[in-house]
């Protein structure tokens, strides 16, 4: 398995273009099934999860191809509503296919997506929403069969503002009979991007970005071209890395509005942040200051997807920070690895007590999930000495060649593949 070898202690500097958002591209790729014809998507990142989604679309009869950051999907040949199990297991986000396949074929068969390192990842809110629209759902072994002769709009209240459930219901309701109103909807920028895309196809949706989304069902959707928004979590990861290495960097093609909560925390920690249109500059010359507490919760609050990364910065701060993770019940798997690098962090259920230390030390550490892996890369860049991050396939799911991104910013890091090791032998 590939590893990242990092020589820490080098302040990051330079400019980096932020790539398209994984969590916007995945539901939008699934939504292409709502129409027949050729759709062009620009600014699609080159990631393992995107590759898997394209494989699933091809397995369903589409022709989906990515060249650089341009994806074309021809859905006219789609002829199956059965998501292959081996692909479903590779990526939980295959759950996004339920709504579009149900709307297009009147049935869908998926496999229970299962949990992952960050928590149980239930799908009850997805199923409740789809059955409210008229779907009949049966569980056979580990398969979920979902059928609906006709989807009918209705009012749906989400017990929790689930991102995925909001997106699945939006996609299923886009061509349903009548109007659907989702209350307590998720408000993330990726939901807003999905609404824009669906409306480009000819849907009639308003309210994304608020907690109430209204979808007036239309008869037909037609192909379009579309550009995906920038990835706010990749941008946030780079911003935190600049602060942790006391560097000065410039991000382009970013959207500062999507990063308001992170920018607020970084400024409280003493980091200078400049904003001009889609350019964000980050500069830090000294040790960060602790912020008394951070609580992750749904957008626009502090994002759970930046929790592990900001913990690295705060583990180097002067003072103590209380971190509470309220979205996923298992998202502190990176703490043990940071402690092995010299961090002083203790965990009690969903709370982490971070006592800042002057420095971290390089070590061999293991990525347990996507964002925990990104946090360990930041720790390696900030630490004294050499860090080896293992199991980096987790990181490749959400970052387009993370080593190139940080090399461009002066980070001393390279990817070690097993073949390379043989050469070295
Ligand atoms: C999306 O996951 C993102 N993934 C996650 O990013 C992100 O962390 C999460 O939203 C929260 O912002 C994609 O968009 C592909 P949820 P999703 O449904 O939709 C519970 C990353 O690192 N829940 O908002 O799965 C669930 O257990 C990934 O890029 C139910 O109980 O998140 C969790 O505790 C990680 N029942 C909470 O809601 C349901 O039916 C948030 O889940 C659905 C969710």
């Amino acid at each position: 398995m590939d590893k990242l070898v990092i020589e820490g202690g080098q302040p990051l500097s330079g400019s980096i273009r932020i790539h398209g958002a994984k969590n916007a591209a995945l539901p939008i790729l699934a939504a292409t099934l709502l129409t027949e014809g050729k759709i062009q998507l620009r600014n699609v990142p080159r990631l393992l999860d995107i590759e898997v989604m394209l494989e699933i679309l091809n397995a369903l009869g589409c022709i989906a191809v990515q060249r650089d950051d341009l994806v074309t999907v021809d859905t006219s040949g789609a002829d199956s509503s059965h998501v292959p199990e081996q692909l479903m297991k590779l990526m939980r986000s295959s759950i996004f296919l339920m709504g579009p396949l149900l709307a297009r074929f009147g049935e869908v068969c998926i496999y229970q997506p299962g949990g992952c390192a960050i928590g149980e990842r239930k799908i009850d809110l997805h199923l409740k929403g789809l059955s409210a629209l008229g779907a009949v759902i049966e569980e056979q072994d580990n398969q979920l069969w979902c059928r609906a002769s006709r989807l009918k709009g209705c009012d749906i209240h989400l017990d929790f503002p689930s991102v995925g459930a909001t997106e699945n219901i939006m996609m299923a309701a886009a061509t349903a009979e009548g109007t659907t109103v989702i209350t307590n909807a998720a408000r993330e920028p990726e939901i807003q991007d999905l609404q824009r895309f669906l409306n480009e196809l000819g849907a009639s949706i308003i309210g994304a970005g608020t907690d109430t989304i209204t979808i007036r069902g239309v008869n037909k959707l037609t192909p379009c071209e579309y550009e995906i928004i920038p990835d706010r979590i990749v941008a946030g990861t780079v911003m935190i890395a600049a602060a942790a290495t006391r560097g000065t960097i410039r991000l382009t093609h970013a959207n500062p509005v999507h990063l308001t909560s992170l920018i607020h925390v970084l400024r409280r920690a003493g980091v200078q942040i400049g904003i001009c249109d889609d350019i964000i500059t980050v500069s830090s010359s000294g040790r960060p200051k602790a912020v008394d507490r951070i609580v992750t919760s749904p957008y626009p609050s502090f994002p759970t997807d930046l929790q592990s990364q900001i913990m690295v910065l705060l583990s180097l701060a002067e003072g103590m920070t209380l971190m509470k993770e309220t979205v996923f019940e298992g998202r502190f798997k990176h703490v043990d690895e940071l402690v092995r690098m010299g961090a002083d962090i203790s965990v009690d259920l969903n709370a982490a007590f971070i006592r800042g230390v002057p420095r971290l030390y390089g070590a061999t550490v293991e990525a347990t999930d996507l964002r925990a892996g990104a946090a360990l890369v930041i720790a390696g860049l900030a630490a004294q000495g050499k860090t080896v991050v293992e199991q980096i396939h987790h990181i490749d799911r959400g970052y387009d060649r993370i080593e190139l991104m940080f090399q461009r910013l002066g980070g001393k890091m390279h990817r070690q593949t097993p073949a390379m090791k043989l050469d070295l032998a």
Side-chain angles (χ1 to χ4, degrees):
M1 300 292 266
D2 288 7
K3 298 174 181 175
L4 286 176
V5 181
I6 307 168
E7 272 308 324
Q10 180 75 26
L12 295 181
S13 63
S15 181
I16 187 90
R17 185 189 195 283
I18 298 301
H19 64 58
K22 165 177 84 79
N23 292 351
L26 289 171
I28 285 174
L29 282 165
T32 59
L33 285 161
L34 289 168
T35 183
E36 295 194 28
K38 194 178 271 190
I39 290 174
Q40 275 213 343
L41 301 174
R42 292 186 305 279
N43 203 29
V44 180
R46 285 157 299 185
L47 306 169
L48 287 185
D49 275 10
I50 299 293
E51 280 173 34
V52 173
M53 183 58 90
L54 297 181
E55 265 187 73
I56 291 171
L57 290 173
N58 288 323
L60 296 174
C62 302
I63 301 172
V65 179
Q66 179 169 21
R67 280 192 192 80
D68 294 331
D69 68 352
L70 175 69
V71 165
T72 50
V73 187
D74 185 341
T75 62
S76 35
D79 57 6
S80 165
S81 59
H82 192 141
V83 180
E85 182 174 15
Q86 74 279 11
L87 293 174
M88 183 92 204
K89 287 195 176 327
L90 285 177
M91 184 181 65
R92 274 187 43 76
S93 308
S94 331
I95 190 83
F96 290 137
L97 289 148
M98 287 191 84
L101 288 172
L102 202 52
R104 179 157 178 165
F105 295 114
E107 66 159 29
V108 52
C109 172
I110 67 158
Y111 291 84
Q112 280 285 6
C116 62
I118 62 176
E120 192 186 349
R121 311 291 298 266
K122 291 191 290 187
I123 61 169
D124 58 318
L125 299 175
H126 295 250
L127 303 182
K128 270 185 210 157
L130 296 175
S131 50
L133 292 168
V136 176
I137 299 166
E138 288 169 276
E139 212 167 320
Q140 292 161 7
D141 305 329
N142 66 337
Q143 280 184 323
L144 273 175
W145 283 92
C146 198
R147 292 181 181 88
S149 48
R150 185 83 176 99
L151 292 169
K152 283 175 73 69
C154 64
D155 293 351
I156 298 172
H157 181 82
L158 291 176
D159 300 337
F160 177 89
S162 156
V163 172
T166 302
E167 291 166 338
N168 240 332
I169 295 165
M170 285 168 73
M171 293 188 280
T175 54
E177 202 177 302
T179 298
T180 299
V181 178
I182 308 171
T183 49
N184 198 29
R187 299 162 56 187
E188 275 69 5
E190 292 75 26
I191 308 268
Q192 298 169 58
D193 212 27
L194 179 61
Q195 171 178 288
R196 274 191 294 272
F197 174 70
L198 291 171
N199 287 344
E200 277 293 305
L201 294 178
S204 173
I205 307 175
I206 55 170
T210 74
D211 62 3
T212 302
I213 300 176
T214 303
I215 305 111
R216 192 170 57 78
V218 297
N219 289 328
K220 189 168 170 47
L221 297 175
T222 48
C224 74
E225 292 189 14
Y226 191 74
E227 178 159 333
I228 304 290
I229 56 170
D231 193 310
R232 62 191 169 103
I233 304 302
V234 170
T237 302
V238 175
M239 292 166 69
I240 295 167
T245 59
R246 305 187 188 182
T248 298
I249 64 162
R250 182 171 174 273
L251 292 81
T252 62
H253 295 83
N255 186 329
V257 172
H258 297 164
L259 288 153
T260 305
S261 56
L262 173 66
I263 290 169
H264 177 66
V265 167
L266 289 176
R267 283 175 168 158
R268 282 169 57 198
V271 180
Q272 289 83 43
I273 307 278
I275 294 168
C276 177
D277 299 334
D278 68 349
I279 294 171
I280 303 173
T281 52
V282 181
S283 177
S284 170
S285 51
R287 192 173 169 193
K289 291 194 284 292
V291 294
D292 54 349
R293 61 186 280 134
I294 293 180
V295 181
T296 67
S297 60
Y299 192 88
S301 296
F302 193 88
T304 176
D305 290 352
L306 286 174
Q307 177 259 107
S308 48
Q309 299 94 311
I310 199 73
M311 190 182 278
V312 177
L313 181 70
L314 296 168
S315 68
L316 288 164
E318 277 176 273
M320 179 167 158
T321 300
L322 168 65
M323 169 80 76
K324 286 200 83 170
E325 169 57 62
T326 70
V327 178
F328 288 107
E329 67 276 21
R331 208 165 198 179
F332 281 150
K333 297 272 190 320
H334 50 288
V335 171
D336 288 348
E337 299 299 84
L338 292 179
V339 168
R340 293 181 55 239
M341 296 179 74
D344 181 355
I345 306 169
S346 50
V347 167
D348 178 16
L349 297 176
N350 72 337
F353 301 89
I354 308 158
R355 289 171 195 80
V357 295
R359 63 186 58 77
L360 296 176
Y361 299 92
T364 295
V365 291
E366 187 173 315
T368 50
D369 63 81
L370 167 53
R371 306 304 174 184
L376 294 176
V377 170
I378 295 174
L381 286 166
Q384 265 188 344
K386 182 170 106 170
T387 296
V388 176
V389 182
E390 299 178 331
Q391 304 297 324
I392 62 170
H393 58 281
H394 291 292
I395 303 174
D396 293 335
R397 288 187 45 224
Y399 294 84
D400 182 358
R401 290 164 296 175
I402 197 167
E403 70 276 14
L404 297 187
M405 189 167 81
F406 284 120
Q407 282 167 4
R408 275 194 206 117
L409 294 172
K412 293 194 179 334
M413 140 184 351
H414 67 272
R415 180 181 291 251
Q416 187 181 81
T417 55
M420 269 171 75
K421 229 172 110 182
L422 285 175
D423 292 348
L424 295 174

